[in-house]
Amino acid sequence: MRDIKRVVLKLSGEALAKDKGFGFDDDTIDLICENIKKARDKGLEIAIVVGGGNFWRGRSGQHIERATSDTIGMLGTVMNGLRVQDTLEKMGLETRLMTAINMQEVAEPYIRRRAVRHLEKGRIVIFAAGTGLPYFSTDTTASLRALEINADMILLGKKGTDGIYDKDPNQFDDAVKYEKLTYSEILQKRLKIMDSTATSLCMDNDMPILAFGIDNPENLVKIVEGKEIGTIVKENFDVR
Ligand code: UDP
């Protein structure tokens, strides 16, 4: 078993849509949730940050005020949160959906101490509506929430790749995968794994990130078992 007790799992909207590119791919969501359950059954405390790119990204709305467009994006993440919650609950897990924009008829408001309490009780907490603020991303949300709830690590589930490469492995045959990286290297090399706000937040507060391929959701269990997969990001590899 890897020495991690509490994680934030970042699930992008794309991961939930798989090849459809839009909306939900039910089989994929089932598979992801089954593996979340297996990881939970091994004792891992799991908070999920859901993205929204399978519905809307703020930057897509060229005829809309950016802040409004971002709000539409944040609302898309709530749809994903509800969708993932439904499957996890059907699998017998206890969950709580918490949103950064208040919508108490459908979800709890995000309150840090309550989120931590839910995790301590073994519930899976799903954070939706991002940070509640425009111009941010759900990657930044994952970094922020991971720090707030004292997570040991962010598990960054990536679609279409199994880690971080020097260039896009789907476009270049000679792309080389990194086993380890520092935050500074991500920023300097402009590696498109996380936006710079999210990366900087992790760097300034030393929050480890494990980027792995979510196309094979069984990777989640492998991570808990301590198997060396994906790319680990820290600033200092001499200190644990
Ligand atoms: N968003 C935002 N503030 C946040 C988080 C998200 O405004 O704190 C908006 C932003 O427009 C973003 C969209 O929600 O494009 C969907 O989130 P994201 O692109 O991070 O989703 P992913 O790519 O992970 O599916």
Side-chain angles (χ1 to χ4, degrees), residues 10 12-13 51-53 56-58 70 73-74 130-131 133-134 136-138 141:
K10 165 67 206 297
S12 67
W56 188 257
R57 285 205 174 87
D70 278 336
M74 286 188 273
T131 59
L133 302 167
F136 288 96
S137 67
T138 54
T141 311

Side-chain angles (χ1 to χ4, degrees), residues 56-73:
W56 188 257
R57 285 205 174 87
R59 285 183 312 264
S60 328
Q62 283 158 14
H63 304 287
I64 313 173
E65 184 83 19
R66 173 67 190 263
T68 305
S69 190
D70 278 336
T71 304
I72 295 172

